[in-house]
């Protein structure tokens, strides 16, 4: 018997939002993975963000077990803000319309949230699967540290993360003007409300395919988002001293991230300029992350020729 079953009073209602845009290929699998969760109080809301395919019809086929909201296309961030505003749970989360959760995902993350009152967000390990749901690798993110999140700009939480509603309401929702890294921006703000906790169990599956935002070529403006995010963040007046001391390193890592996005999108010259800008913090430019991004840029440059 799990600790949740032994203490029913400590089972806060959980609300998951699934933002969906032309997601007919995978959203059925995503919803099925949520409906088999072994958690007693789960609310599922799908926000169809202006799809032109069969997304809404597939969602509607699940009946009253899944709430469906349709809206004009406004982007992933706006869709999730809408979904969370409609929700009733004390604990919140989201699942991309092509990802999946393991059956114990919600229960295990809630158990850890309840066991660690100082924690505002729990994130698990996850598998990476391909278009045919074949396992490709397993990603085990580092344990949480403020330096990893703020100085290194490691986007530690991935699929399966859950967080407390009061912390979300203080931090604010995802920025609708960010289309490439709104999650990282959100986690920077959430981290100011409390600690995160890494749950070292594989509880989710992240789908890698050609249409994934993480992997496809994107417009120039998206490559500039890391700098915009960091500029706005360091304009805050409430940042703790340790985070403010890391500003130079943070900005260098923002340049590395920008270099990777531009390089993956075929803008080699801009990517190299961003790499050069990262030299403002020499240890960052000499890091293994910088080497990986340099190799990515080089591969992208040769593939374009």
């Amino acid at each position: 018997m799990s600790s949740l079953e032994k203490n029913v009073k400590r089972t806060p209602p959980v609300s998951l939002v699934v933002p969906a845009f032309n997601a007919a290929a995978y959203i059925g699998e995503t919803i099925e993975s949520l409906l088999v969760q072994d958690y007693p109080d789960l609310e599922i809301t799908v926000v169809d963000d202006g799809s032109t395919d069969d997304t809404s019809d597939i969602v509607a086929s699940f009946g009253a077990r899944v709430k469906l909201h349709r809206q004009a296309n406004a982007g992933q961030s706006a869709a999730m803000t809408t979904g969370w505003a409609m929700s009733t749970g004390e604990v919140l989360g989201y699942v991309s319309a092509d990802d999946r959760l393991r059956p114990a995902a919600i229960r295990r993350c809630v158990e850890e949230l309840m066991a660690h009152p100082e924690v505002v967000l729990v994130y698990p390990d996850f598998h990476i699967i391909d278009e045919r749901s074949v396992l490709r690798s397993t990603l085990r993110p580092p344990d949480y540290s403020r330096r990893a999140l703020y100085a290194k700009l490691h986007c530690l939480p991935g699929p399966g993360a859950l967080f407390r509603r009061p912390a979300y309401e203080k931090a604010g929702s995802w920025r609708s003007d960010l289309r490439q890294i709104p999650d990282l921006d959100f986690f920077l703000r959430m981290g100011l409300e409390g600690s995160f906790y890494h749950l070292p169990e594989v509880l989710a599956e992240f789908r890698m395919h050609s249409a994934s935002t993480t992997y496809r070529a994107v417009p120039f403006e998206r490559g500039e988002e890391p700098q915009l995010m960091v500029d706005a963040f360091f304009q805050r007046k409430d940042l703790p001293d340790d985070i403010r001391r890391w500003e130079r390193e943070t900005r260098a890592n923002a340049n590395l991230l920008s270099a990777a996005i531009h390089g993956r999108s075929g803008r080699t010259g801009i990517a190299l300029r961003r790499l050069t800008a990262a030299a403002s913090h020499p240890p960052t430019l000499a890091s293994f992350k910088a080497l990986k991004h340099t190799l990515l840029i080089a591969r992208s440059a040769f593939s374009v020729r």
Side-chain angles (χ1 to χ4, degrees), residues 65-177:
R65 295 177 295 173
V66 179
K67 295 181 180 179
L68 171 62
H69 174 79
R70 299 181 180 89
Q71 65 180 34
N73 181 255
Q76 181 188 35
S77 297
M80 290 199 297
T81 298
T82 297
W84 286 324
M86 296 170 55
S87 70
T88 60
E90 298 172 21
V91 175
L92 305 177
Y94 70 95
V95 181
S96 295
D98 48 5
D99 294 344
R100 304 186 304 199
L101 297 187
R102 294 289 189 87
I106 302 301
R107 173 175 58 81
R108 287 294 297 119
C109 287
V110 171
E111 285 176 345
E112 297 303 332
L113 270 179
M114 296 299 99
H116 300 88
E118 77 285 359
V119 165
V120 297
L121 182 150
V122 172
Y123 62 98
D125 298 340
F126 57 93
H127 285 324
I128 296 178
I129 59 176
D130 65 13
E131 296 173 337
R132 300 182 303 279
S133 301
V134 175
L135 175 63
R136 292 303 182 184
S137 62
T138 299
L139 201 154
R140 302 186 187 279
D143 289 342
Y144 176 73
S145 76
R146 283 162 69 95
R147 186 177 185 85
L149 178 61
Y150 291 104
K152 305 295 185 182
L153 290 184
H154 285 320
C155 191
L156 300 169
L162 294 182
F163 45 90
R164 301 182 192 272
R165 180 184 285 275
Y168 162 76
E169 291 175 343
K170 290 180 181 179
S173 192
W174 286 30
R175 286 174 54 179
S176 59
D177 61 320

Side-chain angles (χ1 to χ4, degrees), residues 10 13 92-93 134 136 141 157 166 178 193 205 229 282-283 302:
R10 302 187 72 203
L92 305 177
V134 175
R136 292 303 182 184
L178 297 180
E193 306 303 328
E205 295 171 332
M229 174 190 71
F302 282 114

Side-chain angles (χ1 to χ4, degrees), residues 29-86:
E29 290 184 45
T30 299
I31 293 173
E32 287 169 0
S33 79
L34 304 184
L35 292 175
V36 298
Q37 291 296 306
D38 63 1
Y39 191 77
D41 195 350
L42 176 61
E43 176 185 52
I44 303 167
T45 301
V46 175
V47 179
D48 185 343
D49 189 45
S51 295
T52 57
D53 63 2
D54 295 331
T55 294
S56 283
D57 291 339
I58 294 170
V59 176
S61 71
F62 289 93
R65 295 177 295 173
V66 179
K67 295 181 180 179
L68 171 62
H69 174 79
R70 299 181 180 89
Q71 65 180 34
N73 181 255
Q76 181 188 35
S77 297
M80 290 199 297
T81 298
T82 297
W84 286 324
M86 296 170 55

Side-chain angles (χ1 to χ4, degrees), residues 10-26:
R10 302 187 72 203
T11 56
V14 175
S15 294
L16 290 182
V17 171
V18 182
F21 175 71
N22 289 345
Y26 301 113

